[in-house]
Amino acid sequence: MSGKRKKEVGIKQENILEAVVLADSFNKRFYPVTENRPRCLFPVANQPLISYTLEFLSICGVKHIYVYACHCLDQVKQYILQSKWANTSSPCKVTIVSSQDLTSVGDVLRDVDQKNLFETDFLIVPGDIVSNLKLSVALEEHRNRREKDKNSPLMTLVLRSSSPAHRSRTPEDNIAVALDLSSNRVLHYHRFNKAASKVNFPLNILQDPKSRVELRYDLTDTGIWVCSPQVPQLFTDNFDYQTQYDLIKGVLINEEFLGNQIHAHVA
């Protein structure tokens, strides 16, 4: 009987959903406005953006959130400690991890790996998201893939439909993605820079006669990742990975040798 109870407790613990919130954008996109205030504390309807991010994750069932604060970390800590998220009655636990030594997304994920924060799948979310997306489908798809194969499915990118002319898109948001329609596996991911207007898709993604490949330019990356515990370790193993895009490029280039796969969920 005690063995059965231990098994049930283990199942419950595995279903606890956790997340990393990046309170720093690690870029100067809104500089100099962000020089003395982080973007996640910009007010919308009299509430800082990070409050919407935390609410969004809470609604999605996240029970423990690690907020990584780097730029203007004292302001981020002050807000959270004075908000409802610091109360014992908060719908989820919020832990603040603050350090000015972390200067990139890669540094944050290496710190996550060093602290060994996650043993099961978790989320990575920017700290300035205002969203009502339901992540249950993306989570279920990711978990189903991981149940069938615990090694290959590395993470699921949450993308959303957004026409190239939509006013919410900027040149910095422009991406081109090749997807395997049968599995939603990402075969190629290209982020445009301001000077480039062309993308070269590798021919090998079109060589399998059984696969159906879709090339899309009408998607925007939300910055939300559903990750396996191996993701932080990859950042540790590759110190040149500084951004999310570095990881995606590295995984897709080495997929044939390492077997890691990236999938997408289109909202």
Side-chain angles (χ1 to χ4, degrees), residues 14-45:
E14 191 171 326
N15 288 335
I16 293 177
L17 184 59
E18 299 179 291
V20 168
V21 168
L22 304 173
D24 196 329
S25 59
F26 299 109
N27 61 51
K28 292 189 175 182
R29 191 168 180 176
F30 285 84
Y31 192 84
V33 182
T34 53
E35 183 177 8
N36 298 312
R37 176 188 268 187
R39 198 163 77 198
C40 68
L41 293 184
F42 283 11
V44 174

Side-chain angles (χ1 to χ4, degrees), residues 198-210:
K198 295 181 180 180
V199 54
N200 296 317
F201 289 95
L203 289 177
N204 64 305
I205 67 174
L206 305 171
Q207 289 177 347
D208 188 350
K210 297 180 181 179

Side-chain angles (χ1 to χ4, degrees), residues 12-20 56-66 92-93 118 120-124 135-136 139 142-143 225-227:
K12 289 181 181 178
Q13 289 177 341
E14 191 171 326
N15 288 335
I16 293 177
L17 184 59
E18 299 179 291
V20 168
F56 161 64
L57 291 173
S58 175
I59 292 173
C60 290
V62 176
K63 298 302 181 185
H64 192 177
I65 302 172
Y66 294 89
C92 61
K93 180 181 179 182
F118 306 110
T120 58
D121 299 332
F122 66 100
L123 296 171
I124 298 177
L135 295 180
S136 56
L139 287 165
H142 179 81
R143 286 167 175 165
W225 294 9
V226 184
C227 299

Side-chain angles (χ1 to χ4, degrees), residues 213-240:
V213 179
E214 185 176 52
L215 309 180
R216 300 191 63 167
Y217 182 60
D218 64 332
L219 299 174
T220 300
D221 195 333
T222 64
I224 301 171
W225 294 9
V226 184
C227 299
S228 72
Q230 289 90 339
V231 169
Q233 185 179 346
L234 278 176
F235 277 95
T236 298
D237 294 341
N238 300 273
F239 267 85
D240 56 331

Side-chain angles (χ1 to χ4, degrees), residues 12-185:
K12 289 181 181 178
Q13 289 177 341
E14 191 171 326
N15 288 335
I16 293 177
L17 184 59
E18 299 179 291
V20 168
V21 168
L22 304 173
D24 196 329
S25 59
F26 299 109
N27 61 51
K28 292 189 175 182
R29 191 168 180 176
F30 285 84
Y31 192 84
V33 182
T34 53
E35 183 177 8
N36 298 312
R37 176 188 268 187
R39 198 163 77 198
C40 68
L41 293 184
F42 283 11
V44 174
N46 297 322
Q47 292 292 329
L49 285 168
I50 195 170
S51 69
Y52 295 99
T53 304
L54 299 176
E55 195 73 44
F56 161 64
L57 291 173
S58 175
I59 292 173
C60 290
V62 176
K63 298 302 181 185
H64 192 177
I65 302 172
Y66 294 89
V67 176
Y68 269 81
C70 307
H71 176 56
C72 299
L73 54 90
D74 290 335
Q75 295 181 38
V76 178
K77 288 171 62 177
Q78 182 181 6
Y79 164 72
I80 293 178
L81 293 176
Q82 294 178 351
S83 70
K84 72 174 185 179
W85 305 102
N87 297 334
T88 54
S89 59
S90 170
C92 61
K93 180 181 179 182
V94 176
T95 300
I96 306 169
V97 184
S98 57
S99 173
Q100 291 180 328
D101 296 331
L102 306 176
T103 59
S104 69
V105 174
D107 288 345
V108 169
L109 270 296
R110 282 184 276 273
D111 187 75
V112 168
D113 184 49
Q114 185 179 0
K115 290 181 168 68
N116 196 25
L117 295 184
F118 306 110
E119 296 182 358
T120 58
D121 299 332
F122 66 100
L123 296 171
I124 298 177
V125 180
D128 56 356
I129 275 192
V130 180
S131 176
N132 61 356
L133 283 174
K134 294 182 179 178
L135 295 180
S136 56
V137 177
L139 287 165
E140 184 178 359
E141 291 172 352
H142 179 81
R143 286 167 175 165
N144 288 341
R145 283 189 285 263
R146 295 268 296 157
E147 284 180 7
K148 294 177 182 177
D149 183 353
K150 288 202 173 292
N151 297 317
S152 295
L154 185 69
M155 60 187 179
T156 299
L157 310 178
V158 179
L159 312 176
R160 68 177 179 88
S161 299
S162 177
S163 66
H166 196 277
R167 64 181 183 178
S168 68
R169 281 178 61 152
T170 70
E172 295 173 341
D173 295 322
N174 288 339
I175 60 172
V177 183
L179 298 175
D180 183 335
L181 287 180
S182 63
S183 62
N184 276 339
R185 183 162 62 94

